[in-house]
């Protein structure tokens, strides 16, 4: 059958594709600007010419000129045609140069760029049903992941997430034992250790390089006396009788989240608590058809689902699993209490109890 084509809709799609390609390229441009110090130089210098930016950053003017024009076209910097100067607005200055801000964005672009780096391998994995392990990705994935999530942890973990858990802060202040599962570079572990000097913290991750980084970071932060880190899968971390177990944005990446949850249940003290943080998601596809859901479905396809499929069981919960599926995992592991205690635009926070 011949299907009539709406030319206006077709051209709308074409122009949308132009925007999409520009956005794809801009991920690399943001990482470039972050690494070369372009954003910081613009923030500190005010209205700047390409030649001045090149001099400030010891880079080549041909690159600064094209980069600035791309950033101006995308609305990341402002261009004044009367002076031929470029300015980084105050909002962009916060989002692109201040790592203490909850809105800090360079890590988000970095993990996206690292994720698409292995698209060829992911395409082949999709043909066979195989996986692509977290350890197989470029360091932009590992470093970008921490840089993206750490500002949110800094802004929320101590002031709101931990206080939302029943009796946990009091235990930590008195002196508790804590296991941080899937700790990556240890950002969450170190943050808690800095706030609760009477408690002890054990971080674990199956990725050797991340654990090595976590140990260095703990020493730099001055909390090595109360933190330790081990290379271990989520269903094999050592220790028992923990007052608190934490898992930040990692459960959905695991091949066997039920097995991991069961091990958490066994490792907790009878009155212990599991703080479980997962990406923001609703329980139904239609709940997630929004900008955050779009980004997370993209990560799920190219990063998180392949990571799960690379491990035994390969349940592949997906980044947009949603509260109901997460609760099902905890029930299957023997937990009886599950409640949402907080949320942010990017995360859901659950308290899970035996």
């Amino acid at each position: 059958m011949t299907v009539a084509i709406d030319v206006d809709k077709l051209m709308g799609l074409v122009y949308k594709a132009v925007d999409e390609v520009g956005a794809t390229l801009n991920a690399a441009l943001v990482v470039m600007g972050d690494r070369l110090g372009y954003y910081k130089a613009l923030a500190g210098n005010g209205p700047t010419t390409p030649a001045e930016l090149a001099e400030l950053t010891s880079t080549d003017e041909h690159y600064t000129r094209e980069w600035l024009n791309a950033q101006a076209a995308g609305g990341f910097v402002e261009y004044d045609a009367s002076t031929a100067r470029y300015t980084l607005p105050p909002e962009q200055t916060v989002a692109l140069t201040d790592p203490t801000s909850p809105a800090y964005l360079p890590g988000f672009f970095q993990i996206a760029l690292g994720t698409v780096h292995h698209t060829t391998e992911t395409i082949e994995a999709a043909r066979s049903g195989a996986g692509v392990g977290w350890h197989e990705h470029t360091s932009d994935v590992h470093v970008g992941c921490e840089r993206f999530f750490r500002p949110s942890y800094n802004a929320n973990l101590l002031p709101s997430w931990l206080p939302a858990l029943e009796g946990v802060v009091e235990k930590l202040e008195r002196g508790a034992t804590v296991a941080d599962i899937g700790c990556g570079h240890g950002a969450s572990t170190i943050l808690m250790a800095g706030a609760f000097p009477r408690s002890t913290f054990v971080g674990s991750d199956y990725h050797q390089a991340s654990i090595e980084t976590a140990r260095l970071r703990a020493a730099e932060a001055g909390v090595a006396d109360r933190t330790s880190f081990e290379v271990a899968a989520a269903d094999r971390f050592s220790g028992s009788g923990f007052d608190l177990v934490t898992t930040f944005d990692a459960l959905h990446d695991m091949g066997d989240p039920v097995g991991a949850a069961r091990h958490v249940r066994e490792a907790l003290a009878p009155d212990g608590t599991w703080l479980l943080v997962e990406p923001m998601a609703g329980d139904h596809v239609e709940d997630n058809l929004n900008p955050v859901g779009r980004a997370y479905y993209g990560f799920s396809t190219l990063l998180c689902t392949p990571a799960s499929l690379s491990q035994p069981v390969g349940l592949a919960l997906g980044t947009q699993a949603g509260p109901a599926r997460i609760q099902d995992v905890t029930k299957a592991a023997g937990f009886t209490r599950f409640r949402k205690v907080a949320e942010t635009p990017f995360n859901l926070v659950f308290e899970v109890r035996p």
Side-chain angles (χ1 to χ4, degrees), residues 102 104 107-108 111 134 143-156 161 187 248-250 252-253 277-280 296 299 319 344 346-347:
Y104 187 59
F108 201 16
I111 188 176
W134 181 262
V143 175
C145 183
E146 183 200 15
R147 294 182 77 201
F148 170 54
F149 283 114
R150 182 175 57 197
S152 181
Y153 300 162
N154 288 343
N156 297 291
W161 294 353
F248 296 90
D249 293 290
H252 64 276
D253 293 300
V277 180
E278 279 288 291
M280 169 58 71
Y296 278 155
F299 282 120
T319 310
T344 73
F346 293 105
N347 281 114

mmCIF file of all heavy atoms in Angstrom, residues 102 104 107-108 111 134 143-156 161 187 248-250 252-253 277-280 296 299 319 344 346-347:
data_model
loop_
_atom_site.group_PDB
_atom_site.id
_atom_site.type_symbol
_atom_site.label_atom_id
_atom_site.label_comp_id
_atom_site.label_asym_id
_atom_site.label_seq_id
_atom_site.Cartn_x
_atom_site.Cartn_y
_atom_site.Cartn_z
ATOM 1 N N PRO A 102 25.269 21.052 43.000
ATOM 2 C CA PRO A 102 24.461 19.884 42.608
ATOM 3 C C PRO A 102 24.149 19.864 41.118
ATOM 4 O O PRO A 102 23.809 18.818 40.572
ATOM 5 C CB PRO A 102 23.182 20.047 43.432
ATOM 6 C CG PRO A 102 23.519 20.984 44.522
ATOM 7 C CD PRO A 102 24.590 21.882 43.997
ATOM 8 N N TYR A 104 26.342 20.534 38.735
ATOM 9 C CA TYR A 104 27.597 20.386 37.996
ATOM 10 C C TYR A 104 27.456 19.317 36.912
ATOM 11 O O TYR A 104 27.069 18.185 37.193
ATOM 12 C CB TYR A 104 28.709 20.007 38.970
ATOM 13 C CG TYR A 104 30.102 19.968 38.386
ATOM 14 C CD1 TYR A 104 30.659 21.096 37.802
ATOM 15 C CD2 TYR A 104 30.860 18.808 38.466
ATOM 16 C CE1 TYR A 104 31.955 21.070 37.297
ATOM 17 C CE2 TYR A 104 32.158 18.770 37.962
ATOM 18 C CZ TYR A 104 32.698 19.901 37.378
ATOM 19 O OH TYR A 104 33.973 19.872 36.879
ATOM 20 N N GLY A 107 30.657 15.819 34.292
ATOM 21 C CA GLY A 107 30.681 14.367 34.428
ATOM 22 C C GLY A 107 29.575 13.686 33.642
ATOM 23 O O GLY A 107 29.763 12.583 33.126
ATOM 24 N N PHE A 108 28.431 14.335 33.546
ATOM 25 C CA PHE A 108 27.300 13.797 32.787
ATOM 26 C C PHE A 108 27.687 13.643 31.311
ATOM 27 O O PHE A 108 27.436 12.611 30.680
ATOM 28 C CB PHE A 108 26.106 14.738 32.943
ATOM 29 C CG PHE A 108 24.772 14.111 32.669
ATOM 30 C CD1 PHE A 108 24.593 12.740 32.616
ATOM 31 C CD2 PHE A 108 23.656 14.920 32.473
ATOM 32 C CE1 PHE A 108 23.347 12.169 32.370
ATOM 33 C CE2 PHE A 108 22.406 14.374 32.225
ATOM 34 C CZ PHE A 108 22.248 12.997 32.173
ATOM 35 N N ILE A 111 30.533 10.784 30.977
ATOM 36 C CA ILE A 111 30.075 9.399 30.970
ATOM 37 C C ILE A 111 29.297 9.100 29.687
ATOM 38 O O ILE A 111 29.382 7.987 29.144
ATOM 39 C CB ILE A 111 29.237 9.062 32.226
ATOM 40 C CG1 ILE A 111 28.938 7.560 32.271
ATOM 41 C CG2 ILE A 111 27.972 9.877 32.306
ATOM 42 C CD1 ILE A 111 28.210 7.114 33.515
ATOM 43 N N TRP A 134 31.396 -3.564 32.700
ATOM 44 C CA TRP A 134 31.792 -2.230 33.158
ATOM 45 C C TRP A 134 33.291 -2.039 32.996
ATOM 46 O O TRP A 134 33.754 -0.979 32.562
ATOM 47 C CB TRP A 134 31.375 -2.076 34.620
ATOM 48 C CG TRP A 134 31.677 -0.763 35.256
ATOM 49 C CD1 TRP A 134 32.740 -0.448 36.041
ATOM 50 C CD2 TRP A 134 30.883 0.432 35.182
ATOM 51 N NE1 TRP A 134 32.670 0.858 36.464
ATOM 52 C CE2 TRP A 134 31.538 1.426 35.951
ATOM 53 C CE3 TRP A 134 29.678 0.752 34.539
ATOM 54 C CZ2 TRP A 134 31.028 2.716 36.095
ATOM 55 C CZ3 TRP A 134 29.184 2.039 34.685
ATOM 56 C CH2 TRP A 134 29.858 3.007 35.456
ATOM 57 N N VAL A 143 35.205 7.521 35.415
ATOM 58 C CA VAL A 143 35.434 8.845 35.995
ATOM 59 C C VAL A 143 34.186 9.718 35.839
ATOM 60 O O VAL A 143 33.769 10.413 36.768
ATOM 61 C CB VAL A 143 36.650 9.525 35.337
ATOM 62 C CG1 VAL A 143 36.825 10.952 35.842
ATOM 63 C CG2 VAL A 143 37.920 8.714 35.595
ATOM 64 N N GLY A 144 33.574 9.673 34.652
ATOM 65 C CA GLY A 144 32.388 10.482 34.423
ATOM 66 C C GLY A 144 31.235 10.100 35.329
ATOM 67 O O GLY A 144 30.479 10.968 35.783
ATOM 68 N N CYS A 145 31.090 8.803 35.605
ATOM 69 C CA CYS A 145 30.022 8.349 36.498
ATOM 70 C C CYS A 145 30.165 8.978 37.876
ATOM 71 O O CYS A 145 29.195 9.516 38.432
ATOM 72 C CB CYS A 145 30.059 6.825 36.592
ATOM 73 S SG CYS A 145 28.736 6.125 37.599
ATOM 74 N N GLU A 146 31.368 8.933 38.417
ATOM 75 C CA GLU A 146 31.573 9.543 39.728
ATOM 76 C C GLU A 146 31.357 11.047 39.676
ATOM 77 O O GLU A 146 30.708 11.632 40.548
ATOM 78 C CB GLU A 146 32.983 9.257 40.249
ATOM 79 C CG GLU A 146 33.193 9.826 41.644
ATOM 80 C CD GLU A 146 34.662 10.008 42.007
ATOM 81 O OE1 GLU A 146 35.517 9.976 41.116
ATOM 82 O OE2 GLU A 146 34.934 10.216 43.200
ATOM 83 N N ARG A 147 31.870 11.708 38.658
ATOM 84 C CA ARG A 147 31.747 13.166 38.565
ATOM 85 C C ARG A 147 30.285 13.590 38.401
ATOM 86 O O ARG A 147 29.913 14.678 38.843
ATOM 87 C CB ARG A 147 32.571 13.696 37.394
ATOM 88 C CG ARG A 147 34.071 13.525 37.561
ATOM 89 C CD ARG A 147 34.809 14.121 36.372
ATOM 90 N NE ARG A 147 34.865 15.559 36.456
ATOM 91 C CZ ARG A 147 35.072 16.364 35.411
ATOM 92 N NH1 ARG A 147 35.175 15.852 34.191
ATOM 93 N NH2 ARG A 147 35.134 17.678 35.561
ATOM 94 N N PHE A 148 29.477 12.740 37.771
ATOM 95 C CA PHE A 148 28.061 13.067 37.605
ATOM 96 C C PHE A 148 27.285 12.887 38.904
ATOM 97 O O PHE A 148 26.512 13.768 39.319
ATOM 98 C CB PHE A 148 27.450 12.204 36.499
ATOM 99 C CG PHE A 148 25.951 12.312 36.424
ATOM 100 C CD1 PHE A 148 25.323 13.548 36.303
ATOM 101 C CD2 PHE A 148 25.151 11.180 36.478
ATOM 102 C CE1 PHE A 148 23.938 13.653 36.235
ATOM 103 C CE2 PHE A 148 23.767 11.279 36.407
ATOM 104 C CZ PHE A 148 23.158 12.516 36.290
ATOM 105 N N PHE A 149 27.474 11.747 39.576
ATOM 106 C CA PHE A 149 26.664 11.448 40.751
ATOM 107 C C PHE A 149 27.187 12.090 42.036
ATOM 108 O O PHE A 149 26.408 12.372 42.945
ATOM 109 C CB PHE A 149 26.561 9.934 40.948
ATOM 110 C CG PHE A 149 25.596 9.266 40.014
ATOM 111 C CD1 PHE A 149 26.036 8.371 39.054
ATOM 112 C CD2 PHE A 149 24.243 9.536 40.088
ATOM 113 C CE1 PHE A 149 25.147 7.757 38.182
ATOM 114 C CE2 PHE A 149 23.334 8.926 39.220
ATOM 115 C CZ PHE A 149 23.795 8.043 38.268
ATOM 116 N N ARG A 150 28.496 12.331 42.125
ATOM 117 C CA ARG A 150 29.062 12.849 43.374
ATOM 118 C C ARG A 150 28.439 14.165 43.825
ATOM 119 O O ARG A 150 28.150 14.327 45.029
ATOM 120 C CB ARG A 150 30.581 12.989 43.240
ATOM 121 C CG ARG A 150 31.264 13.476 44.529
ATOM 122 C CD ARG A 150 32.772 13.487 44.364
ATOM 123 N NE ARG A 150 33.160 14.319 43.229
ATOM 124 C CZ ARG A 150 34.348 14.262 42.645
ATOM 125 N NH1 ARG A 150 35.259 13.405 43.059
ATOM 126 N NH2 ARG A 150 34.632 15.060 41.627
ATOM 127 N N PRO A 151 28.200 15.158 42.952
ATOM 128 C CA PRO A 151 27.567 16.398 43.432
ATOM 129 C C PRO A 151 26.204 16.174 44.081
ATOM 130 O O PRO A 151 25.862 16.837 45.067
ATOM 131 C CB PRO A 151 27.454 17.241 42.156
ATOM 132 C CG PRO A 151 28.560 16.753 41.283
ATOM 133 C CD PRO A 151 28.608 15.277 41.539
ATOM 134 N N SER A 152 25.434 15.231 43.532
ATOM 135 C CA SER A 152 24.133 14.931 44.139
ATOM 136 C C SER A 152 24.306 14.263 45.496
ATOM 137 O O SER A 152 23.558 14.566 46.444
ATOM 138 C CB SER A 152 23.324 14.023 43.207
ATOM 139 O OG SER A 152 22.056 13.735 43.775
ATOM 140 N N TYR A 153 25.262 13.355 45.615
ATOM 141 C CA TYR A 153 25.526 12.728 46.910
ATOM 142 C C TYR A 153 25.967 13.793 47.921
ATOM 143 O O TYR A 153 25.519 13.802 49.067
ATOM 144 C CB TYR A 153 26.600 11.655 46.797
ATOM 145 C CG TYR A 153 26.282 10.517 45.855
ATOM 146 C CD1 TYR A 153 27.290 9.684 45.376
ATOM 147 C CD2 TYR A 153 24.982 10.266 45.425
ATOM 148 C CE1 TYR A 153 27.013 8.634 44.506
ATOM 149 C CE2 TYR A 153 24.697 9.224 44.554
ATOM 150 C CZ TYR A 153 25.716 8.409 44.093
ATOM 151 O OH TYR A 153 25.447 7.380 43.226
ATOM 152 N N ASN A 154 26.855 14.694 47.479
ATOM 153 C CA ASN A 154 27.334 15.750 48.374
ATOM 154 C C ASN A 154 26.186 16.621 48.871
ATOM 155 O O ASN A 154 26.176 17.061 50.030
ATOM 156 C CB ASN A 154 28.364 16.627 47.659
ATOM 157 C CG ASN A 154 29.694 15.936 47.454
ATOM 158 O OD1 ASN A 154 29.991 14.927 48.094
ATOM 159 N ND2 ASN A 154 30.514 16.463 46.558
ATOM 160 N N ALA A 155 25.237 16.872 47.983
ATOM 161 C CA ALA A 155 24.126 17.768 48.334
ATOM 162 C C ALA A 155 23.047 17.094 49.161
ATOM 163 O O ALA A 155 22.330 17.770 49.910
ATOM 164 C CB ALA A 155 23.513 18.336 47.054
ATOM 165 N N ASN A 156 22.924 15.761 49.048
ATOM 166 C CA ASN A 156 21.753 15.099 49.620
ATOM 167 C C ASN A 156 22.026 14.018 50.661
ATOM 168 O O ASN A 156 21.197 13.813 51.555
ATOM 169 C CB ASN A 156 20.928 14.458 48.487
ATOM 170 C CG ASN A 156 20.376 15.475 47.517
ATOM 171 O OD1 ASN A 156 19.487 16.255 47.856
ATOM 172 N ND2 ASN A 156 20.906 15.478 46.294
ATOM 173 N N TRP A 161 19.160 12.297 52.920
ATOM 174 C CA TRP A 161 18.931 10.870 52.720
ATOM 175 C C TRP A 161 19.149 10.060 53.989
ATOM 176 O O TRP A 161 18.274 9.289 54.387
ATOM 177 C CB TRP A 161 19.823 10.339 51.598
ATOM 178 C CG TRP A 161 19.504 10.903 50.245
ATOM 179 C CD1 TRP A 161 18.451 11.715 49.911
ATOM 180 C CD2 TRP A 161 20.250 10.703 49.037
ATOM 181 N NE1 TRP A 161 18.491 12.034 48.578
ATOM 182 C CE2 TRP A 161 19.574 11.426 48.006
ATOM 183 C CE3 TRP A 161 21.405 9.989 48.715
ATOM 184 C CZ2 TRP A 161 20.047 11.454 46.690
ATOM 185 C CZ3 TRP A 161 21.869 10.010 47.407
ATOM 186 C CH2 TRP A 161 21.191 10.730 46.405
ATOM 187 N N ALA A 187 33.354 7.700 46.428
ATOM 188 C CA ALA A 187 32.853 9.028 46.771
ATOM 189 C C ALA A 187 31.859 8.979 47.924
ATOM 190 O O ALA A 187 31.949 9.769 48.874
ATOM 191 C CB ALA A 187 32.199 9.675 45.546
ATOM 192 N N PHE A 248 24.603 2.656 45.908
ATOM 193 C CA PHE A 248 24.273 3.874 45.181
ATOM 194 C C PHE A 248 24.351 3.638 43.671
ATOM 195 O O PHE A 248 25.434 3.402 43.123
ATOM 196 C CB PHE A 248 25.237 4.998 45.567
ATOM 197 C CG PHE A 248 25.135 5.417 47.011
ATOM 198 C CD1 PHE A 248 25.919 4.812 47.984
ATOM 199 C CD2 PHE A 248 24.258 6.423 47.401
ATOM 200 C CE1 PHE A 248 25.837 5.194 49.309
ATOM 201 C CE2 PHE A 248 24.161 6.812 48.728
ATOM 202 C CZ PHE A 248 24.951 6.190 49.692
ATOM 203 N N ASP A 249 23.203 3.695 43.009
ATOM 204 C CA ASP A 249 23.139 3.636 41.543
ATOM 205 C C ASP A 249 23.902 2.446 40.980
ATOM 206 O O ASP A 249 24.622 2.570 39.981
ATOM 207 C CB ASP A 249 23.677 4.944 40.946
ATOM 208 C CG ASP A 249 22.775 6.124 41.271
ATOM 209 O OD1 ASP A 249 21.664 6.183 40.727
ATOM 210 O OD2 ASP A 249 23.176 6.972 42.089
ATOM 211 N N ALA A 250 23.752 1.296 41.613
ATOM 212 C CA ALA A 250 24.511 0.123 41.183
ATOM 213 C C ALA A 250 23.679 -1.146 41.064
ATOM 214 O O ALA A 250 24.060 -2.050 40.316
ATOM 215 C CB ALA A 250 25.673 -0.133 42.160
ATOM 216 N N HIS A 252 20.907 -1.984 39.594
ATOM 217 C CA HIS A 252 20.400 -2.321 38.265
ATOM 218 C C HIS A 252 21.504 -2.781 37.310
ATOM 219 O O HIS A 252 21.234 -3.387 36.287
ATOM 220 C CB HIS A 252 19.660 -1.115 37.665
ATOM 221 C CG HIS A 252 20.552 0.066 37.430
ATOM 222 N ND1 HIS A 252 20.851 0.979 38.424
ATOM 223 C CD2 HIS A 252 21.227 0.478 36.335
ATOM 224 C CE1 HIS A 252 21.660 1.901 37.941
ATOM 225 N NE2 HIS A 252 21.902 1.627 36.674
ATOM 226 N N ASP A 253 22.765 -2.467 37.642
ATOM 227 C CA ASP A 253 23.898 -2.890 36.808
ATOM 228 C C ASP A 253 24.317 -4.330 37.090
ATOM 229 O O ASP A 253 25.106 -4.897 36.324
ATOM 230 C CB ASP A 253 25.112 -1.987 37.061
ATOM 231 C CG ASP A 253 24.891 -0.559 36.597
ATOM 232 O OD1 ASP A 253 24.645 -0.368 35.397
ATOM 233 O OD2 ASP A 253 24.976 0.361 37.426
ATOM 234 N N VAL A 277 19.829 3.407 46.658
ATOM 235 C CA VAL A 277 19.615 4.555 45.784
ATOM 236 C C VAL A 277 19.668 4.080 44.342
ATOM 237 O O VAL A 277 20.627 3.429 43.929
ATOM 238 C CB VAL A 277 20.677 5.647 46.030
ATOM 239 C CG1 VAL A 277 20.438 6.843 45.104
ATOM 240 C CG2 VAL A 277 20.662 6.090 47.495
ATOM 241 N N GLU A 278 18.619 4.395 43.579
ATOM 242 C CA GLU A 278 18.524 3.981 42.181
ATOM 243 C C GLU A 278 18.125 5.175 41.303
ATOM 244 O O GLU A 278 17.619 6.183 41.814
ATOM 245 C CB GLU A 278 17.486 2.860 42.034
ATOM 246 C CG GLU A 278 18.008 1.479 42.402
ATOM 247 C CD GLU A 278 18.980 0.950 41.350
ATOM 248 O OE1 GLU A 278 18.565 0.645 40.226
ATOM 249 O OE2 GLU A 278 20.182 0.849 41.674
ATOM 250 N N PRO A 279 18.345 5.074 40.000
ATOM 251 C CA PRO A 279 17.952 6.171 39.119
ATOM 252 C C PRO A 279 16.455 6.470 39.187
ATOM 253 O O PRO A 279 15.635 5.565 39.367
ATOM 254 C CB PRO A 279 18.346 5.664 37.726
ATOM 255 C CG PRO A 279 19.459 4.697 37.986
ATOM 256 C CD PRO A 279 19.089 4.030 39.278
ATOM 257 N N MET A 280 16.106 7.734 39.020
ATOM 258 C CA MET A 280 14.704 8.139 38.977
ATOM 259 C C MET A 280 13.979 7.394 37.863
ATOM 260 O O MET A 280 14.442 7.345 36.720
ATOM 261 C CB MET A 280 14.611 9.649 38.739
ATOM 262 C CG MET A 280 13.216 10.140 38.411
ATOM 263 S SD MET A 280 11.991 9.765 39.688
ATOM 264 C CE MET A 280 12.491 10.897 40.994
ATOM 265 N N TYR A 296 18.288 8.146 30.592
ATOM 266 C CA TYR A 296 18.531 6.898 31.310
ATOM 267 C C TYR A 296 18.241 5.670 30.446
ATOM 268 O O TYR A 296 18.940 4.656 30.558
ATOM 269 C CB TYR A 296 17.693 6.870 32.582
ATOM 270 C CG TYR A 296 18.306 7.618 33.746
ATOM 271 C CD1 TYR A 296 17.510 8.123 34.766
ATOM 272 C CD2 TYR A 296 19.687 7.807 33.839
ATOM 273 C CE1 TYR A 296 18.066 8.798 35.852
ATOM 274 C CE2 TYR A 296 20.247 8.484 34.909
ATOM 275 C CZ TYR A 296 19.430 8.979 35.913
ATOM 276 O OH TYR A 296 19.990 9.633 36.985
ATOM 277 N N PHE A 299 21.398 5.280 28.461
ATOM 278 C CA PHE A 299 22.446 4.625 29.243
ATOM 279 C C PHE A 299 22.123 3.154 29.474
ATOM 280 O O PHE A 299 23.012 2.299 29.483
ATOM 281 C CB PHE A 299 22.627 5.334 30.589
ATOM 282 C CG PHE A 299 23.417 6.610 30.512
ATOM 283 C CD1 PHE A 299 22.867 7.816 30.894
ATOM 284 C CD2 PHE A 299 24.728 6.609 30.051
ATOM 285 C CE1 PHE A 299 23.590 9.001 30.827
ATOM 286 C CE2 PHE A 299 25.464 7.779 29.968
ATOM 287 C CZ PHE A 299 24.893 8.987 30.361
ATOM 288 N N THR A 319 18.148 0.507 33.635
ATOM 289 C CA THR A 319 18.280 1.738 34.415
ATOM 290 C C THR A 319 16.924 2.286 34.851
ATOM 291 O O THR A 319 16.818 2.964 35.862
ATOM 292 C CB THR A 319 19.031 2.786 33.572
ATOM 293 O OG1 THR A 319 20.226 2.194 33.046
ATOM 294 C CG2 THR A 319 19.411 3.989 34.402
ATOM 295 N N THR A 344 15.203 12.869 44.072
ATOM 296 C CA THR A 344 15.736 14.045 43.405
ATOM 297 C C THR A 344 15.343 13.925 41.930
ATOM 298 O O THR A 344 14.759 12.908 41.525
ATOM 299 C CB THR A 344 17.270 14.122 43.519
ATOM 300 O OG1 THR A 344 17.857 13.130 42.659
ATOM 301 C CG2 THR A 344 17.733 13.898 44.961
ATOM 302 N N PHE A 346 17.078 13.053 39.657
ATOM 303 C CA PHE A 346 17.840 11.962 39.047
ATOM 304 C C PHE A 346 17.820 10.663 39.850
ATOM 305 O O PHE A 346 18.269 9.636 39.355
ATOM 306 C CB PHE A 346 19.303 12.386 38.844
ATOM 307 C CG PHE A 346 19.481 13.478 37.826
ATOM 308 C CD1 PHE A 346 19.755 14.771 38.220
ATOM 309 C CD2 PHE A 346 19.336 13.210 36.480
ATOM 310 C CE1 PHE A 346 19.911 15.784 37.275
ATOM 311 C CE2 PHE A 346 19.491 14.213 35.520
ATOM 312 C CZ PHE A 346 19.778 15.504 35.927
ATOM 313 N N ASN A 347 17.310 10.690 41.079
ATOM 314 C CA ASN A 347 17.407 9.497 41.924
ATOM 315 C C ASN A 347 16.147 9.234 42.733
ATOM 316 O O ASN A 347 15.419 10.164 43.105
ATOM 317 C CB ASN A 347 18.576 9.622 42.901
ATOM 318 C CG ASN A 347 19.915 9.340 42.273
ATOM 319 O OD1 ASN A 347 20.757 10.229 42.166
ATOM 320 N ND2 ASN A 347 20.123 8.107 41.844
#
